[in-house]
Amino acid sequence: MHEFNRGWELQDIHDLLREINRFVAAHKSQMSPHSPHGLSHSSSARNIGRGASHESIDLDGFIALISSEELVEGGGMKTAVRRDCKILREALKAENNYNLYKDDGHFTQGEKIRGPSGKMALMADVLPGIVIVINALVLGISSDVEPSHVVWIVFNYFFLAFYSAEFLIKIALFGWRWFFCGNEWAWNGFDLFCLTLSWVEELITWILTSS
């Protein structure tokens, strides 16, 4: 709360809740008991924990706190009450927004983006890494030993097929949202960029050799 107002004190909350209860009670008394609208839909709710030292509000009071413009802009409310209501409302909104973020720091609307875990995570990290090392060795050897030999061409197609299959499997298992918004989004984007370049290179090579 002090992030929104340095002068906020605990007593301010008690006074604000007391005024909200009066506000809700006044609105209930003005409405017809048969009216289905307004703040009366939870009139059977009780104030829990009310005592001599503190105040509490029921569901009607909470709804009024977060949605009623009269509490913030109404001319019938004290300036201090309007101020405190606005501060508390902004604090609740900030808390709600904070809870919508997960450990990876990405906005997920409260739903965790599931990625590889356990043996699946091990396979997703280790196997592609081994293939990348083999690919690097093949590139190094093929540049010195008969660069145009058919064996290197076969290896090239194998690596391209493997990386393409890896991309499709990740999308099928974990979805687009994890691929582009999960905690490995940077590496996934880099892999997709390299895969796209490889396919473009193969396409250009095929066009040049067939013409």
Side-chain angles (χ1 to χ4, degrees), residues 147-193:
S148 59
H149 197 279
V150 66
V151 174
W152 310 129
I153 297 177
V154 172
F155 267 115
N156 186 52
Y157 286 140
F158 167 77
F159 292 131
L160 183 59
F162 177 85
Y163 297 139
S164 300
E166 178 193 8
F167 167 72
L168 294 176
I169 290 173
K170 285 183 176 180
I171 294 297
L173 292 179
F174 310 115
W176 291 97
R177 198 154 63 94
W178 170 83
F179 194 87
F180 291 106
C181 300
N183 55 357
E184 297 183 10
W185 66 272
W187 283 113
N188 292 336
F190 178 74
D191 291 342
L192 180 58
F193 175 74

Side-chain angles (χ1 to χ4, degrees), residues 115-128 169-170 173-174:
S117 60
K119 294 181 179 180
M120 185 67 67
L122 183 64
M123 293 295 295
D125 293 335
V126 175
L127 184 59
I169 290 173
K170 285 183 176 180
L173 292 179
F174 310 115

Side-chain angles (χ1 to χ4, degrees), residues 78-140:
K78 298 178 181 179
T79 302
V81 173
R82 296 200 303 267
R83 179 205 63 192
D84 294 342
C85 181
K86 184 176 181 180
I87 293 172
L88 184 55
R89 182 180 296 182
E90 292 299 322
L92 291 172
K93 289 180 180 179
E95 177 69 13
N96 180 62
N97 291 335
Y98 174 80
N99 290 332
L100 294 179
Y101 283 81
K102 292 302 178 182
D103 293 338
D104 60 3
H106 291 86
F107 194 61
T108 63
Q109 291 292 335
E111 179 183 353
K112 185 176 181 180
I113 300 179
R114 299 182 60 184
S117 60
K119 294 181 179 180
M120 185 67 67
L122 183 64
M123 293 295 295
D125 293 335
V126 175
L127 184 59
I130 295 175
V131 175
I132 289 174
V133 171
I134 298 175
N135 191 3
L137 292 175
V138 170
L139 286 175

Side-chain angles (χ1 to χ4, degrees), residues 30-110:
Q30 294 175 2
M31 291 186 302
S32 168
H34 302 290
S35 174
H37 303 290
L39 296 171
S40 61
H41 64 279
S42 62
S43 57
S44 61
R46 295 179 301 172
N47 290 351
I48 301 175
R50 175 174 295 194
S53 60
H54 66 277
E55 290 282 337
S56 63
I57 56 176
D58 59 8
L59 179 59
D60 286 333
F62 183 75
I63 293 175
L65 171 63
I66 63 175
S67 62
S68 177
E69 294 301 324
E70 292 185 52
L71 284 174
V72 178
E73 301 178 358
M77 304 299 296
K78 298 178 181 179
T79 302
V81 173
R82 296 200 303 267
R83 179 205 63 192
D84 294 342
C85 181
K86 184 176 181 180
I87 293 172
L88 184 55
R89 182 180 296 182
E90 292 299 322
L92 291 172
K93 289 180 180 179
E95 177 69 13
N96 180 62
N97 291 335
Y98 174 80
N99 290 332
L100 294 179
Y101 283 81
K102 292 302 178 182
D103 293 338
D104 60 3
H106 291 86
F107 194 61
T108 63
Q109 291 292 335

